[in-house]
Structures are given as structure tokens and as C-alpha cells.
Amino acid sequence: MNELARVVQQTADQLAGRHVGAVVAGLAGGDTEIRGVGRTRAGGGPPGPDTVFEIGSVTKVFTSLVLARLALDGTVRLDEPLAGVLAGAPGGGPAVVPSRGGQPITLRHLATHTAGLPRLPRGMVAKALVKPNDPDPYAHCTAEHVLGGLARTRLRAAPGRSFRYSNLGAGLLGLALAHRAGTGYEELVAREVCGPLGLADTLVRPGAGQAERLAQGHTAGGRPVPYWDLADLPGMGGLRSTAADLVIFLRAQLAAGRAPDAPLAPAITLTRETRHRVNPFAWMHLGWLGHRLHTQQGGHLQIWHNGGTGGFRSFVAFDPDKQVGVVVLANTRRSADPAGTALLRTLQRDFASAG
């Protein structure tokens, strides 16, 4: 076993005691190692590179990459008001989108979580439309429900002023982009991201080939839970994917700055050119969060996103300077972030590319 395989296996073994099943991938330069531990479900074997997991909010980086692609081809503009993009969407009549301080919500605001929207689509049509403790809390978030209540949503801050993480905002972004493109969200991601990169198993609704490889989600205590259905807001967390596909996705992220002709490189570059400062140490790109470690910790750049649904957790991160990245997927509702972050720091310290 080579050294990269050893540290990836070590991370997987650490997760084995806390999760029903987990898959860990480590990328360093041109090398990749993927290791799985535990089981996919009761009586199942260990998950592997092609096991399908719900990836939760890691979906948001796909949604934002679609935004960049459509902005580059002129379908939308980053600073186009959301109301105009949603015009004629389901719900009847023009979309009424809240504003504050004379500033409308734009697509850029949604992708950087600076729209001032609440985290969850509460209070829309029914006060308890979203119930976080429900096994499938977003199943009733149809376009009609969400857009019908959007006009009555009070913004927490003027758009563009401050960072406030919002699942609702990302869901609206996916809905708006699909509406402007004249297709469904899943089809739009397939056309703009999965097709060009060759991602075979990243989708909203698994087909027959993926369904037989779909892991079962579990609570933190190991009890099986239902899969999530995000209705008309899949852009905030509705994708399912595999470690193998996410490795390809990270490879594209790592290549973008060094190979301008690499797949999706212009769009990936655009996502990272946008930067909204969150605090003195962290910022928000289009979709991705970023920060730089203190010099005493190596001063490394870390670009990342995590995700969670009722029975799954995910963590995806990379350093384009050092050409390393990690993917952690687990089918238990326990955070995978500490293990993924620790692995990334190890790769940055010991496996950085000299290129």
C-alpha cells in the first residue's frame, strides 16, 4: 500500500466507528486513492467508488457552476435580478421577490448567500411548511408553494451586504436557472456539468442502474431513514453522486487554473473570481466557501463545501495551489467534516504537487 493509500485508509478507518458506511477519496497530483468501510445497508457490503449517496448541500456548487456556464453563454447575467429570471414561472403571474434598501436580489446574491433570505423556506403559505424534524422536510416545497410565499418573506439584510447561509436562496437559484433554460434542474445539470465532465452517476432521481447502488441513509444512532425529496428546490441539496464522480469533479476544479482548455475551465474560473468576504479569514465564491489557514497551520488555501440530508453526510474540499483534494461520503447523519478537513491538511502538508 502506497503512502497516499495509507492515509486515505486511515481516515476511512476513523470514520468506521461513527458511521454505518463511508467512502473516502484522496487526490494528490495525478494520483487518486478511494477506500470504503462499513456497509451500504443492513446485510450489504462496504460502499465503494460507485456507491450512490445523497450529497446534500454539495449540490450547491453544481448549481453555481451551472450559473457560471449560463452567464458565460449569455443566457443569464450574474447581476440579473431574480424577479426577471423567474417571470412566468409556476405560480401564476409575475414573480414577486422581496427587496430591501432599494436593492433587488440578484443571481450572484443567491450563489454567494448574500441575498438576505432566511435559511429555510419557513412561513411560506403554511407556517410549518418545512419541519426540520420530519423524515422528509422539503417534500412539499413545490414552486407554487415557495413562490407564493416569497413575496411575504422579510429579508434579514439588504441584498449584497452580508453573508447569511440560505438553503432557500440556493433552491430559488436552481429553480430560476432551470426556468430560464426551459428545462428541469436535473436535465440542466446533466447538460451543463455532468455531460462535459463525463459524470455518469450524478443526478436527482437515480435510474435503474444507480438505484441498485444507492446506499441507505441512517440516523446518528444507525436507524434507517427515508430518502429526501426536495420537490422543486433540488438546487439546494437534491443531487446524488458517487466518490468516483466527485473525484472527476474535483479534478476539473484543480485543472481549471493551470489548463485553460480543460473541461469547464472558464466557468470554474468564473466561480472562483467572485468573492464575498464573510469574515477576516473566510470568503464565499459562487457556491464554494474558502479560507486560508493561519501561517502557524501552514497558511494553506482550502476551498470546500459540506452537505447533509436526513441520513447522509458529505464533505468535498481542495487546494488548487497544492493540487490536492478530498471527498468524504457517509450514509449516517453524523458530520464527516473533521475527518475530511484533517485529511486535506495532511495532503497539503505531505503530498503537495511541485508543479
Side-chain angles (χ1 to χ4, degrees):
M1 182 180 294
N2 63 46
E3 188 62 14
L4 178 60
R6 186 189 68 79
V7 297
V8 171
Q9 184 66 59
Q10 184 178 55
T11 300
D13 290 342
Q14 291 171 354
L15 290 166
R18 292 177 52 82
H19 294 274
V20 173
V23 175
V24 179
L27 295 74
D31 298 325
T32 300
E33 293 289 344
I34 303 177
R35 293 291 185 275
V37 293
R39 63 186 189 278
T40 58
R41 61 184 64 247
D50 297 324
T51 301
V52 180
F53 292 78
E54 291 183 352
I55 63 172
S57 288
V58 173
T59 299
K60 293 178 174 65
V61 301
F62 285 83
T63 303
S64 293
L65 185 53
V66 169
L67 168 61
R69 288 271 288 174
L70 296 186
L72 288 175
D73 72 15
T75 301
V76 299
R77 292 176 290 106
L78 291 183
D79 295 312
E80 187 170 356
L82 172 63
V85 184
L86 283 175
V96 179
V97 178
S99 62
R100 184 166 175 174
Q103 174 63 53
I105 295 172
T106 68
L107 303 184
R108 185 193 303 269
H109 295 148
L110 297 176
T112 56
H113 298 281
T114 56
L117 288 164
R119 185 181 184 94
L120 300 174
R122 292 182 185 272
M124 292 185 171
V125 181
K127 185 176 181 180
L129 177 61
V130 173
K131 300 178 181 179
N133 293 325
D134 279 2
D136 192 358
Y138 296 99
H140 302 293
C141 286
T142 64
E144 289 79 6
H145 273 302
V146 174
L147 296 181
L150 185 60
R152 296 187 292 278
T153 298
R154 180 179 179 275
L155 299 186
R156 273 55 172 173
R161 177 172 297 177
S162 60
F163 172 83
R164 291 173 179 269
Y165 189 87
S166 175
N167 285 316
L168 172 60
L172 287 170
L173 177 61
L175 181 67
L177 295 176
H179 176 64
R180 173 61 63 86
T183 188
Y185 174 81
E186 182 174 36
E187 292 75 18
L188 184 60
V189 172
R191 186 185 81 192
E192 299 296 333
V193 178
C194 298
L197 293 182
L199 308 184
D201 293 316
T202 299
L203 31 68
V204 175
R205 302 191 185 283
Q210 292 86 20
E212 62 186 19
R213 292 183 277 116
L214 181 62
Q216 172 65 58
H218 299 80
T219 66
R223 178 173 55 83
V225 294
Y227 299 107
W228 273 15
D229 179 358
L230 275 64
D232 289 331
L233 297 183
M236 68 182 180
L239 285 177
R240 295 169 170 88
S241 191
T242 65
D245 268 14
L246 291 174
V247 163
I248 296 171
F249 187 73
L250 281 191
R251 286 279 174 212
Q253 298 289 330
L254 293 173
R258 301 189 174 200
D261 294 331
L264 305 190
I268 291 170
T269 299
L270 178 58
T271 64
R272 299 216 292 268
E273 286 176 347
T274 298
R275 180 180 297 206
H276 178 88
R277 181 65 61 177
V278 175
N279 60 44
F281 311 101
W283 58 88
M284 189 76 209
H285 292 299
L286 295 179
W288 292 103
L289 294 109
H291 63 262
R292 190 171 288 278
L293 298 178
H294 191 278
T295 53
Q296 293 180 351
Q297 298 174 307
H300 300 305
L301 171 64
Q302 296 185 336
I303 300 175
W304 62 281
H305 212 297
N306 59 4
T309 61
F312 294 85
R313 288 295 183 267
S314 57
F315 179 82
V316 180
F318 64 99
D319 178 348
D321 296 338
K322 303 298 184 182
Q323 290 289 288
V324 297
V326 303
V327 175
V328 181
L329 301 174
N331 62 335
T332 314
R333 193 169 61 203
R334 288 191 178 196
S335 177
D337 295 13
T341 300
L343 176 58
L344 180 63
R345 290 182 62 180
T346 297
L347 299 182
Q348 289 174 309
R349 184 186 67 235
D350 300 334
F351 295 84
S353 172

